[in-house]
Amino acid sequence: MVDRNTDIDTQLKFKYQLFHRYNSGLTALNQQEVRNCQYSQDDFHKMFREISKSEIFLKVCPFFQEEQRMADDEFVTLLYLLTLFDDSLDSYSKKSKNPFINSYFERIHSNIYNLESNGDEIELSEKDEENEEDIELNAKQLSHDFIIKTKKSIFENIESVNLVYGQYLKGNRQERYLIETIYYHLAKDKRITKQFLKNKSTELGDFIANYLKEVNEKPYPENQDFNLLDCYKEKVAHTGRVKYRFNEMRKIINSFFTQSN
């Protein structure tokens, strides 16, 4: 149940929490709580937790204010992983949330984004051995710098969501599905620059809100038993609906730029 590469202290903490939960009649650990045990010392995990407690995150997602079971940490993790790899969105739509997060969190540590040693033994020459300490220090500094840069980027993307659509958010927990689609496209669309947000964020937010209002007043699309709002109102794991809500938000933003030009 525990990754063999996880240090012994974390493994013991994980096992203790499982033992305590199951032997005190309480609810079993959910997937994010398991990840919290497994990655308690991980820099990315610590960063996600810090962001989830920040003022701007709770302003956009106030429904996480009283969260007791780490759904807030999980949501920040999801937002980051969705925008990290080119195939993230496709994978997310095919898998349910937790398998996606689990597999892509592991992928962070097996990809170039992991700037620390992967634990494999490497044969060093005599000259390399002399520089091993410097190499290790440089790797730690690179890792630290990458985390700082990543944290700044996530904060900026959350602030972008607030600038564009904050005035329309009601603080409803189900809005997280709408928030994740807006976050994704604001982070990925290269047309949405800092200058654009400074000049056009309110206009884009109004455009999205008016579009969703029109959707609410129209009949369902032909040969469909749901519309875009249905994809935001309920928890949907169905591939077609997940893809639909992200594709429709892309169309909305593209329409805005077309009309603006």
Side-chain angles (χ1 to χ4, degrees):
M1 295 180 69
V2 178
D3 186 343
R4 296 293 182 183
N5 293 323
T6 305
D7 65 88
I8 188 63
D9 289 338
T10 300
Q11 289 190 40
L12 290 173
K13 178 182 177 183
F14 181 30
K15 292 174 182 178
Y16 170 78
Q17 289 200 31
L18 283 175
F19 177 85
H20 178 73
R21 283 291 181 94
Y22 282 116
N23 288 279
S24 59
L26 298 177
T27 305
L29 296 175
N30 63 33
Q31 287 293 305
Q32 184 60 24
E33 289 168 325
V34 170
R35 284 189 289 269
N36 181 58
C37 295
Q38 185 173 0
Y39 297 109
S40 62
Q41 301 305 311
D42 180 85
D43 288 339
F44 281 97
H45 181 70
K46 291 177 182 177
M47 176 185 67
F48 297 145
R49 294 209 68 185
E50 179 182 342
I51 293 172
S52 73
K53 310 304 178 189
S54 67
E55 182 179 350
I56 185 59
F57 177 78
L58 293 174
K59 184 176 182 178
V60 174
C61 305
F63 41 85
F64 285 130
Q65 188 79 45
E66 304 299 326
E67 182 56 50
Q68 299 296 318
R69 301 203 63 189
M70 300 185 178
D72 47 356
D73 303 13
E74 182 179 75
F75 191 61
V76 177
T77 306
L78 174 64
L79 293 178
Y80 175 65
L81 294 178
L82 269 175
T83 60
L84 184 56
F85 299 104
D86 290 339
D87 60 350
S88 291
L89 182 56
D90 185 58
S91 179
Y92 175 55
S93 67
K94 292 178 180 178
K95 302 178 180 180
S96 58
K97 176 184 62 181
N98 283 306
F100 166 75
I101 292 177
N102 287 337
S103 63
Y104 276 66
F105 207 109
E106 291 178 5
R107 187 172 171 182
I108 292 176
H109 297 280
S110 61
N111 205 280
I112 60 173
Y113 299 98
N114 178 24
L115 299 174
E116 298 177 343
S117 170
N118 61 10
D120 293 337
E121 293 185 6
I122 302 173
E123 288 189 14
L124 298 173
S125 67
E126 186 173 335
K127 182 177 180 180
D128 287 335
E129 288 175 353
E130 294 175 359
N131 296 325
E132 184 178 359
E133 185 175 344
D134 290 339
I135 292 172
E136 183 177 351
L137 289 173
N138 288 337
K140 288 182 179 179
Q141 185 61 48
L142 285 171
S143 179
H144 173 76
D145 292 346
F146 184 77
I147 290 292
I148 295 298
K149 182 179 178 180
T150 300
K151 185 191 302 185
K152 180 182 178 182
S153 175
I154 296 173
F155 274 127
E156 287 177 348
N157 291 333
I158 295 172
E159 179 60 41
S160 296
V161 174
N162 184 54
L163 287 172
V164 170
Y165 211 73
Q167 62 178 319
Y168 291 104
L169 296 173
K170 307 297 182 184
N172 186 313
R173 189 179 181 88
Q174 289 181 329
E175 287 180 334
R176 64 192 184 277
Y177 302 112
L178 173 60
I179 291 169
E180 75 180 25
T181 56
I182 294 175
Y183 179 100
Y184 175 83
H185 288 295
L186 295 186
K188 299 290 282 186
D189 195 321
K190 294 181 179 180
R191 297 170 296 183
I192 302 177
T193 61
K194 290 182 179 180
Q195 189 62 39
F196 170 87
L197 291 170
K198 181 178 179 180
N199 297 327
K200 298 285 187 177
S201 59
T202 301
E203 291 181 34
L204 176 57
D206 292 343
F207 189 87
I208 295 172
N210 289 332
Y211 188 98
L212 294 179
K213 183 178 179 181
E214 292 177 7
V215 169
N216 190 45
E217 296 170 351
K218 291 179 180 178
Y220 282 171
E222 188 175 354
N223 300 321
Q224 276 190 201
D225 60 354
F226 63 90
N227 65 14
L228 179 57
L229 291 180
D230 294 326
C231 298
Y232 293 138
K233 289 180 180 178
E234 57 183 292
K235 183 177 180 180
V236 180
H238 185 272
T239 296
R241 295 195 181 197
V242 174
K243 283 187 175 181
Y244 185 77
R245 70 174 186 245
F246 280 93
N247 288 338
E248 287 299 298
M249 184 55 66
R250 180 183 294 108
K251 291 179 183 178
I252 294 171
I253 294 174
N254 284 341
S255 296
F256 174 81
F257 278 100
T258 299
Q259 292 190 23
S260 296
N261 293 334

